[in-house]
Amino acid sequence: MRTFSGDVTLFERDCVLDENERRLLAEAGVRYIGSPLLGITLDEGMAPLLHTKDGESHRADVAYPMLGETACSALALALGLGAACDPCGKLLVDEHQRTSVPGLFAAGDVAVGLNQISVAAGQAAVAATAIHNSLPPRYRGLAG
């Protein structure tokens, strides 16, 4: 976002940044608001007002929400499968979308990576191909 504006603020919602990440933001000239973002409204001039848990409201010219950043990986984690994840709960995957649990694949917002629909579709195709290729020949439509 720094390539688009000299005045960028990052609002926290789910994942708390560590000291090194905060230092890197400061070095990049990005202001960090550590109180979780609760919502966004518009002021009388239609400018975004960002409301944080500490009761503060922050006026902005533009708000760029990063959607899909809440990893819904609780099922993979809660079942005791032991899938490796990052500090925000996103599942770690290899180049074929395999998690650390044999037979468990992840794609889209639940997996570490760029959270965009087109990327998720590509990840799903990679995972589907890997799953297909891991099946015994009789399940892949091959004689055997």
Side-chain angles (χ1 to χ4, degrees):
M1 296 308 300
R2 288 285 291 125
T3 60
F4 299 107
S5 174
D7 184 14
V8 176
T9 302
L10 174 66
F11 289 84
E12 193 58 67
R13 195 179 114 193
D14 294 320
C15 187
V16 178
L17 301 181
D18 63 31
E19 285 303 315
N20 185 52
E21 292 166 324
R22 290 179 190 197
R23 180 186 55 76
L24 291 171
L25 280 176
E27 288 174 6
V30 175
R31 190 169 73 134
Y32 172 70
I33 305 295
S35 183
L37 182 63
L38 296 179
I40 301 174
T41 60
L42 299 175
D43 69 10
E44 59 282 345
M46 301 301 287
L49 280 173
L50 296 100
H51 308 285
T52 52
K53 188 174 182 177
D54 61 7
E56 296 291 322
S57 293
H58 306 268
R59 189 173 314 279
D61 293 326
V62 175
Y64 181 83
M66 291 186 358
L67 302 176
E69 282 300 308
T70 301
C72 296
S73 58
L75 182 61
L77 302 174
L79 291 178
L81 296 176
C85 64
D86 72 2
C88 294
K90 290 181 176 263
L91 299 174
L92 301 177
V93 295
D94 68 9
E95 66 277 3
H96 297 287
Q97 300 306 121
R98 291 182 293 237
T99 69
S100 60
V101 175
L104 180 64
F105 293 75
D109 291 357
V110 73
V112 169
L114 182 60
N115 292 333
Q116 294 185 350
I117 293 170
S118 58
V119 173
Q123 290 172 337
V126 168
T129 301
I131 292 166
H132 175 79
N133 290 338
S134 72
L135 294 173
R138 69 176 182 261
Y139 294 113
R140 288 189 278 151
L142 304 174

